[in-house]
Amino acid sequence: MTKHHRSNSAGGTTPTRALIVGSTALFTDMLVHGLAVPVLPLLPAVVEEGPAATGVLFSSYAVAMIIATLFAGRMVDRLGPKTPLLLGLVGLAVATMLFATGGPYWLLLVARLAQGLAGGMSWVAALSLIAATTPFEKRGQAMGIAMSTITLGVLIGPPVAGFLVDHYGTAAPFLLAAALALADGVLRVVLIDGSPKVSDDPGGPASVMRVPGSLSIVLAIVVGAGVLSGIEPVLPVHLGATAQTVGLLFGLASLTAMVANPVVGYLVPKVSSKVLVGGGVVAAAASLLVIGWASALWGVCIGMALLGASSALLLAPATTLISEQGLRSDPPTLGGAFALYNFAYAAGLAGGPMLTGVAVQQLGFSSAMAVTTGVLAIIGCASLFKLPNQGAGTISRD
């Protein structure tokens, strides 16, 4: 393995500043994503189009994010992360203002695509900024902190949106998002001095994907992201509840994930990854079945709590394992490892809503949850075959 040197924090951007800006960018993006969860499915323009169109609306964010990620990588290589960060900010501001109009459907779809493009730019640039200013030996820890802000944004977004909708109308969450984007932009301009580039991390996601076991990790991430995102477009309409109730339900899932994440993180080096991920697959399947057949709100609450636990069991080990895979790749790369994580996460965000939206429209809610359970269980079980095992500071394949 080649020796890695401290990255050049060009222009005076310190690792701390980079971590603040990068983490805030990720938090803002996922907060806006979370704000949309209890609002978009209940807008008249979306309800009129049906569950399948609602699934397309939610999936379009991730599809646009994947497309933007491909171009953002090249832009970061040529210009550094500051320009893509600012472009992402502009896209997010445009998206939030379009969402505030409330329709028609095609305009909301444009807004969702703009949000996804902005997210792709911001995610790649934020992680690249952290990688460019943080010593290689401390980069994994910094990346982990940044990725944890994603869960925080998802946690806060839905309940805040539900409260604002019930008290101030459907435009209120998106006006709040626009204000937060403005504050985020100030941080991006003030704290980033110059446009530092990574000089010691030349590998990309393709090199990490070639490491044995990476495909299994990718599949676990897809299931972890897909199971929660699949519920987002269909549950609000099925329940017929207020936006605040829907927001609190999704907040419950995210809160459970936040509480479970450190517990699972503690267990990662002590317990077989197959046990943790397998438990996540079981919890994900159980959650969808409980939600699909619950006849009372308390049953849905149990299902959402299981959903949050499944997210922690699937994604917490995957975050650790993917960084280890990056260190095993040739050349070693942490930036490429987390780029691969982003691709897998976005794939889950795209596939989950598309699957549930079409299934609900064709089969009804309960049957759709059963079908989705079967699909995710198959993918989840496939992820266990060559899943690397973390333990005692080393990785080995079972």
Side-chain angles (χ1 to χ4, degrees), residues 227 231 235 238-239 249 252 282-307 365-370 373:
V227 68
I231 290 293
L235 184 61
H238 168 69
L239 291 178
L249 285 171
L252 172 62
V282 172
S287 68
L288 293 179
L289 292 176
V290 169
I291 291 170
W293 297 96
S295 57
L297 187 61
W298 63 266
V300 179
C301 290
I302 293 174
M304 295 301 284
L306 284 170
L307 203 63
F365 187 80
S366 297
S367 297
M369 291 300 99
T373 297

Side-chain angles (χ1 to χ4, degrees), residues 14-34:
T14 65
T16 300
R17 286 187 175 188
L19 185 58
I20 291 173
V21 171
S23 298
T24 303
L26 294 173
F27 169 77
T28 303
D29 182 69
M30 293 312 293
L31 176 65
V32 176
H33 182 276

Side-chain angles (χ1 to χ4, degrees), residues 358-384:
V358 173
V360 167
Q361 184 154 315
Q362 297 298 321
L363 305 172
F365 187 80
S366 297
S367 297
M369 291 300 99
V371 170
T372 304
T373 297
V375 173
L376 293 178
I378 291 171
I379 298 173
C381 290
S383 73
L384 299 176

Side-chain angles (χ1 to χ4, degrees), residues 4 19 65 101 113 140 189 205 281 285 292 315 328 330-331 349 357 381 387:
H4 295 273
L19 185 58
M65 184 179 181
T101 65
L113 290 169
V189 172
V281 173
L315 297 180
R328 294 179 64 203
D330 185 17
L349 289 181
C381 290
L387 189 71

Side-chain angles (χ1 to χ4, degrees), residues 27-39 149-165 173-174 176-177 180 243-244 246-248 250-251 254:
F27 169 77
T28 303
D29 182 69
M30 293 312 293
L31 176 65
V32 176
H33 182 276
L35 287 171
V37 169
V39 184
T149 60
I150 293 173
T151 303
L152 183 60
V154 174
L155 168 67
I156 296 175
V160 169
F163 173 82
L164 291 174
V165 168
F174 303 113
L176 171 64
L180 292 173
Q244 186 167 0
V246 173
L248 290 173
F250 281 96
S254 297

